[in-house]
Amino acid sequence: MAKVSKGNTLTAPVLQAGYSIENDGYGLLTCKATYKADNAKAASAIKRGDVFKPDGRLKCHKVSVAFGPLDVATITADYCGIEAGDWTEPNVSGSATLSTEPLTSHPNFFKAAGRGIAGPAPYTSTASPDGTNKPAFLGINGAIFGNDGVAPNKPLFLGFFGTSTDQEKKLYKRTSYLSPVSSFNGVLYTTKAGNVVSLRKYVGVAFSGRAPEGYRFLLPAYLGDNFTAKDETPQLLLSNVSFEDYGMLYKISYEIRFNREGYMTEIYTINT
């Protein structure tokens, strides 16, 4: 029996009722829509990059076609976009933990007695802890410095060797301490590839605001706007940036490290 076709031809895809648009709460929009079209036209009816006609913020990034009976195909199209502008809001998580660091890096290491650990120069002469006649100098809490004849105001820390007091016993041969380490991890989506390129250039750069100067905010407002240590050095460092295509958008993932003592201007590039 010959096939009899009735109704309108489906040379152009016909959007079916029931599509939905989801907002992830940070401005990323996603949508899945279903169309009907003639089998002969379905494969090329909707393409990557096509705008979703009911909502121009969305563009197609993935299409599947199921060829059905009676020459009618079902097209399923996935769309994504951004609620407003070129960026989503940053979706940020954070962690605070402890990391083992050399005791000589402690901010109180060269301070005087009280909260000091090894004390400041100049140091007094003392016997070398290895029993040799090499020059050695005594700090506080049993700290010993040596410098093979160099002036005692340029010491080389050898270790803690005192056992006379409870404090010295606690520090005896101790070489490390647990230092607090904090980091923030964020995700952003953008419509512009140039935004990806720009952020990559800031890896290894320290800054004291919610983002490097001239770039959009990477941290939410509730974390504050000023990240500056007591000596006015910046406390934030962009340590990692990764990116990937996400449909017609660009997904940027990044890590920011926080150092309460600040990042030294002599070592790190500072964003001003």
Side-chain angles (χ1 to χ4, degrees):
M1 180 181 294
K3 181 182 71 173
V4 177
S5 299
K6 294 183 179 181
N8 296 330
T9 59
L10 297 176
T11 53
V14 177
L15 178 64
Q16 304 299 291
Y19 68 85
S20 61
I21 300 174
E22 179 180 348
N23 188 323
D24 72 344
Y26 297 91
L28 176 66
L29 305 178
T30 54
C31 172
K32 186 182 291 290
T34 302
Y35 300 82
K36 296 292 185 179
D38 286 344
N39 278 348
K41 302 289 185 178
S44 58
I46 297 177
K47 302 178 295 299
R48 175 182 168 86
D50 285 353
V51 174
F52 186 50
K53 291 182 179 179
D55 191 332
R57 298 173 299 178
L58 297 164
K59 291 184 179 181
C60 179
H61 70 92
K62 186 172 67 174
V63 181
S64 63
V65 180
F67 296 94
L70 303 177
D71 287 338
V72 176
T74 300
I75 304 170
T76 303
D78 290 343
Y79 297 85
C80 63
I82 290 176
E83 181 180 17
D86 299 325
W87 291 99
T88 61
E89 292 299 315
N91 184 352
V92 177
S93 61
S95 66
T97 184
L98 295 175
S99 174
T100 301
E101 301 291 342
L103 193 54
T104 51
S105 68
H106 194 286
N108 292 339
F109 187 79
F110 288 109
K111 288 187 177 180
R115 294 189 59 84
I117 297 174
Y123 304 105
T124 57
S125 296
T126 189
S128 177
D130 59 6
T132 67
N133 293 323
K134 293 180 180 179
F137 304 91
L138 179 65
I140 63 174
N141 297 320
I144 301 293
F145 296 84
N147 49 36
D148 292 332
V150 180
N153 62 347
K154 296 181 180 179
L156 172 65
F157 178 66
L158 301 179
F160 292 98
F161 297 95
T163 58
S164 299
T165 66
D166 290 341
Q167 187 75 355
E168 289 181 0
K169 291 175 182 178
K170 290 179 180 179
L171 288 169
Y172 182 73
K173 292 192 175 182
R174 182 180 292 275
T175 60
S176 63
Y177 78 107
L178 294 176
S179 174
V181 176
S182 300
S183 63
F184 306 102
N185 293 278
V187 175
L188 284 166
Y189 294 85
T190 180
T191 59
K192 295 184 176 180
N195 292 332
V196 179
V197 176
S198 296
L199 188 58
R200 288 176 53 211
K201 296 178 181 178
Y202 289 111
V203 174
V205 173
F207 52 98
S208 56
R210 289 163 55 196
E213 186 71 25
Y215 205 78
R216 64 105 60 237
F217 289 141
L218 300 178
L219 297 176
Y222 65 78
L223 291 174
D225 295 309
N226 184 18
F227 297 88
T228 305
K230 293 180 180 179
D231 61 357
E232 300 301 319
T233 54
Q235 295 175 309
L236 300 180
L237 179 76
L238 186 62
S239 58
N240 179 62
V241 172
S242 59
F243 55 93
E244 62 180 287
D245 292 348
Y246 185 85
M248 301 303 295
L249 305 177
Y250 304 94
K251 178 182 178 181
I252 306 173
S253 302
Y254 54 91
E255 180 185 61
I256 298 172
R257 295 189 182 183
F258 171 83
N259 181 351
R260 66 181 181 182
E261 302 301 327
Y263 290 97
M264 294 180 61
T265 57
E266 294 82 1
I267 298 176
Y268 298 94
T269 301
I270 307 300
N271 177 246
T272 57

